[in-house]
Amino acid sequence: MQRVSNEQARKLVGKTIYAVRKDGSVRTGKLVRVHQNKLYLRPAGKDKAKSVKTKAILPLVLFDLLAIGTLPFAG
């Protein structure tokens, strides 16, 4: 198996790679950085995070206004 030098690994920062560990397991992901003979990977599925959209804010605000408006009549 071919070894990769630090200079070769630094050229791959920001690209999707797969790395074979000493125990034979394989890790895939985007290479984030190289620091002191360690490779830092971001898992492959984390790059395509979806933004969350909420459409429930208006009903919550209206419900709170209704609850505050009926508070004097609760006694």
Side-chain angles (χ1 to χ4, degrees):
M1 181 165 300
Q2 179 183 358
R3 299 274 178 173
V4 178
S5 68
N6 280 338
E7 292 81 23
Q8 290 173 332
R10 289 184 202 285
K11 291 179 184 177
L12 297 173
V13 171
K15 297 184 180 180
T16 303
I17 64 165
Y18 74 94
V20 181
R21 297 173 65 182
K22 288 182 181 180
D23 62 358
S25 63
V26 177
R27 300 288 185 244
T28 60
K30 184 176 275 192
L31 183 61
V32 178
R33 72 180 203 162
V34 179
H35 182 69
Q36 296 179 351
N37 295 332
K38 292 183 182 178
L39 302 177
Y40 292 89
L41 294 177
R42 177 177 294 136
K46 301 287 182 182
D47 290 337
K48 300 174 184 170
K50 295 181 181 178
S51 62
V52 177
K53 295 182 180 178
T54 304
K55 295 183 179 180
I57 292 178
L58 184 61
L60 288 174
V61 170
L62 292 176
F63 179 75
D64 288 343
L65 289 175
L66 177 67
I68 292 171
T70 58
L71 191 60
F73 303 110

